[in-house]
């Protein structure tokens, strides 16, 4: 899953974007549907699965541990599970590619099985911290031999029966929360996660749907207390995965910054723990409307209409960060086109994503002529007031650094940069949004990709 050849691409100022498009299925929900389907006894049917490399890494790992997973047609997959506690010893190392979510959630699952597994990943994943999961999973009884700094490659051995814990999350992380809850499925007694700052709750929703014994309570300080009692059988489900709001963010911002644009992005998941970007953009003056609002598979869904808008810089409240944690790179692009200053803070987590997103976004925007001030935990961006970004004499080459969202954010910035820009490698986009360039072509933003 590492890409041997880089795929550079040029993005130039675009005419008005027009049209109605869909984006691929939600990445978080896709991972979880494969994992829980693989633990249920019987056949789970998934529609709208994201067929990106990250999710395919999860599918391969669940197969390696005994589940039968087949593709029926585009986005439609069938999973026959092994039952809670029934995962088998994988015969070879699990290659997680670029996917932090696959790695951390699967480490949770393996924690309460008496099996040994080795995790490997690409250069980006091998730099990411795993101590945040090895610490609580170690308390449950798993053993880890990691590379220096607690990183991949690592080998772990789970414990059956594992030990239930009560764990208060030191960082707001849905991955850590989910890893512990998944470990708790096959752990006797009550496993408890206390989440002082709410993060995406797809695991809780889906676990409840599959019949896990799970409760969520809010304490007097507003913390969420999530308890799972191990041992319940999971029942196979029919899951319909909504479009990924983190992917919809790219065409939405492209339309907002490109004069004359009006687009509709259909079928987008708008779970409140994920929809922070759209409310921040509205606060900046974005003309965004939701239509056809409905509930699909326990998740709120709508079609989003986005029209070109005059954006104004704002102070983004740090409390909103968990509900748009993956959307800051594209928010920074929107801020670069706004009138006035946008200030962000409380974003130290962005430094340990697929890349150091604060530093890469600051460097790249500065190359496009934007005034950016980088602090430890955020960026302050002075926008162009809707004018095209000045760019450079020759289109500058921006490094995506194996980060799909950096690649896509600068692709969108290029649509509004005089003379355009080159993204050095678009291949990481295949992890989450394989049809990204096709979709831009459909909206008239770029020439059709051959
Ligand atoms: C994810 C949680 C987030 C997010 C990632 C997907 C998930 O990570 O950045 O892309 O599916 O649980 P953290 O939990 O590390 O914030």
């Amino acid at each position: 899953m590492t890409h041997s050849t880089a795929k550079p691409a040029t993005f130039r100022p675009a005419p008005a974007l027009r049209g109605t498009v869909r984006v691929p299925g939600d990445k978080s929900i896709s991972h979880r549907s494969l994992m829980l389907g693989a633990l249920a006894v019987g056949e789970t049917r998934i529609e709208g699965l994201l067929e990106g490399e990250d999710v395919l890494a999860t599918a391969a790992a669940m197969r390696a541990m005994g589940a039968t997973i087949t593709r029926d047609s585009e986005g439609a997959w069938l999973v026959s599970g092994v039952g809670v506690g029934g995962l088998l010893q994988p015969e070879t190392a699990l290659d997680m590619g670029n996917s932090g979510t696959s790695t951390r959630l699967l480490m949770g699952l393996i924690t309460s099985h008496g099996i040994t597994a080795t995790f490997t990943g690409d250069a980006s994943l091998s730099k990411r911290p795993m101590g945040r999961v090895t610490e609580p999973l170690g308390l449950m009884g798993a053993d880890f031999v990691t590379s220096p700094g607690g990183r991949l490659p690592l080998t772990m051995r789970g414990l059956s029966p594992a030990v239930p814990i009560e764990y208060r999350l030191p960082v707001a992380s849905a991955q850590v929360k989910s890893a512990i809850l998944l470990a708790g499925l096959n752990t006797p007694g009550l496993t408890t996660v206390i989440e002082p700052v709410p993060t995406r709750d797809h695991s809780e929703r889906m676990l409840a749907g599959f019949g896990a014994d799970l409760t969520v309570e809010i304490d007097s300080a507003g913390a969420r207390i999530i308890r799972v009692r191990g041992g319940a059988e999971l029942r196979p489900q029919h899951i319909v995965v909504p479009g990924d709001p983190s992917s919809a963010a790219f065409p939405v911002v492209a339309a907002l910054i490109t004069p004359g644009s009006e687009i509709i992005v259909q079928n987008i998941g708008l779970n409140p723990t994920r929809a922070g970007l759209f409310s921040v953009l509205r606060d900046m003056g974005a003309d965004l409307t939701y239509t056809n609002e409905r509930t699909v598979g326990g998740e709120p869904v709508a079609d989003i209409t986005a029209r070109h808008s005059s954006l104004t810089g704002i102070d983004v409240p740090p409390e909103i960060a968990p509900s748009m944690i993956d959307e800051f790179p594209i928010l920074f692009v929107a801020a670069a086109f706004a009138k006035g200053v946008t200030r962000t803070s409380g974003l130290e987590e962005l430094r340990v994503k697929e890349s150091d997103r604060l530093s890469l976004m600051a460097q790249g925007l500065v190359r496009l002529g934007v005034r950016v001030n980088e602090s430890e935990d955020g960026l302050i961006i002075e926008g162009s007031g809707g004018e095209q970004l000045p760019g450079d004499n020759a289109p500058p080459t921006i490094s995506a650094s194996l980060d799909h969202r950096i690649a896509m954010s600068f692709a969108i910035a290029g649509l509004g940069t005089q003379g355009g820009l080159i993204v050095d490698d678009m291949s990481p986009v295949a992890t989450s949004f394989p049809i990204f360039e096709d979709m831009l072509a459909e909206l008239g933003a770029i020439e059709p990709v051959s």
Side-chain angles (χ1 to χ4, degrees):
M1 251 164 300
T2 36
H3 307 107
S4 45
T5 39
K7 208 177 129 235
T10 304
F11 296 91
R12 295 193 182 83
L17 275 60
R18 295 274 161 168
T20 299
V21 288
R22 284 185 169 235
V23 298
D26 188 279
K27 183 152 75 72
S28 294
I29 297 176
S30 294
H31 283 299
R32 288 156 171 81
S33 60
L34 288 170
M35 291 181 196
L36 296 191
L39 292 183
V41 179
E43 190 171 84
T44 286
R45 183 174 175 84
I46 310 169
E47 318 268 350
L49 188 87
L50 164 62
E51 295 176 343
E53 290 172 356
D54 280 13
V55 174
L56 298 180
T58 290
M62 298 318 299
R63 277 195 194 108
M65 292 190 283
T68 305
I69 302 181
T70 51
R71 182 179 193 261
D72 191 20
S73 57
E74 193 185 326
W77 289 63
L78 299 170
V79 184
S80 288
V82 294
V84 169
L87 292 179
L88 304 178
Q89 170 72 48
E91 283 174 11
T92 54
L94 304 174
D95 178 3
M96 300 286 96
N98 190 251
S99 181
T101 309
S102 309
T103 309
R104 294 181 176 134
L105 270 55
L106 288 173
M107 283 164 69
L109 278 181
I110 291 169
T111 287
S112 50
H113 288 76
I115 58 183
T116 300
T118 296
F119 289 87
T120 60
D122 71 4
S124 151
L125 184 58
S126 303
K127 284 188 205 139
R128 299 182 67 183
M130 293 298 151
R132 56 183 58 199
V133 274
T134 58
E135 204 233 37
L137 299 178
L139 296 173
M140 297 183 79
D143 265 330
F144 297 90
V145 180
T146 71
S147 297
R151 298 178 208 278
L152 261 49
L154 69 74
T155 298
M156 69 177 290
R157 178 157 186 83
L159 180 69
S160 182
V163 182
I165 58 169
E166 177 176 308
Y167 193 75
R168 191 177 175 89
L169 294 180
V171 277
S173 168
Q175 293 180 352
V176 179
K177 165 177 70 176
S178 303
I180 300 167
L181 294 176
L182 291 176
L185 285 177
N186 191 41
T187 299
L190 264 192
T191 296
T192 305
V193 180
I194 303 169
E195 188 178 49
V197 182
T199 64
R200 66 190 67 195
D201 64 356
H202 305 301
S203 295
E204 296 92 306
R205 288 178 190 237
M206 202 182 286
L207 279 165
F210 270 87
D213 186 351
L214 178 121
T215 59
V216 181
E217 195 189 308
I218 314 285
D219 74 8
S220 54
R224 293 175 78 241
I225 305 172
I226 308 141
R227 297 187 179 90
V228 64
R229 184 175 294 283
E233 277 299 330
L234 299 189
R235 294 184 298 267
Q237 299 296 301
H238 181 184
I239 295 171
V240 180
V241 182
D244 197 326
S246 300
S247 297
F250 298 103
V252 162
V253 170
L256 294 177
I257 64 172
T258 310
S261 298
E262 175 167 345
I263 67 163
I264 300 175
V265 192
Q266 291 180 319
N267 191 41
I268 301 307
L270 289 171
N271 180 316
T273 63
R274 295 288 300 285
L277 173 74
F278 303 122
S279 81
V280 167
L281 289 171
R282 278 179 166 158
D283 290 346
M284 293 172 77
D287 183 351
L288 293 180
T289 44
Y290 296 161
T291 53
N292 201 7
E293 291 185 55
R294 56 212 188 266
T295 302
V296 178
E299 297 276 346
V301 168
D303 300 342
I304 304 178
T305 301
R307 297 183 186 87
H308 173 247
S309 305
S310 301
L311 301 176
T312 306
I314 61 165
D315 289 359
V316 179
E319 316 80 76
I320 204 165
S323 68
M324 55 177 291
I325 195 67
D326 291 335
E327 283 66 79
F328 280 96
I330 192 65
L331 174 71
F332 296 147
V333 172
F337 288 86
K339 183 166 177 282
V341 174
T342 298
R343 290 186 186 79
T344 57
S345 58
L347 303 180
E348 39 287 271
E349 272 295 297
L350 294 200
R351 297 201 184 274
V352 291
K353 294 294 180 188
E354 287 83 331
S355 68
D356 178 343
R357 288 180 170 165
L358 287 181
S359 143
L360 284 178
M361 288 307 301
Q363 283 167 33
L365 288 173
V366 166
R367 301 251 348 247
L368 305 183
V370 183
R371 287 172 65 172
V372 183
N373 193 313
E374 178 183 346
S375 69
E376 257 320 290
D377 68 340
L379 300 187
I380 299 174
I381 298 176
E382 197 175 321
S384 70
E387 298 299 317
Q388 286 188 351
L389 304 182
D392 217 334
N393 292 334
T397 298
I398 309 283
S399 169
S401 294
L402 289 181
D403 187 332
H404 54 137
R405 299 197 204 284
I406 297 290
M408 291 187 278
S409 297
F410 280 108
I412 301 302
L415 304 180
T417 301
Q418 287 169 35
L421 58 79
I422 300 163
V423 176
D424 70 339
D425 186 11
M426 288 300 285
S427 62
V429 167
T431 59
S432 70
F433 200 161
I435 58 160
F436 174 72
E437 286 170 87
D438 294 330
M439 180 214 60
L440 285 184
E442 212 178 317
L443 292 171
I446 60 173
E447 293 294 318
V449 191
S450 54

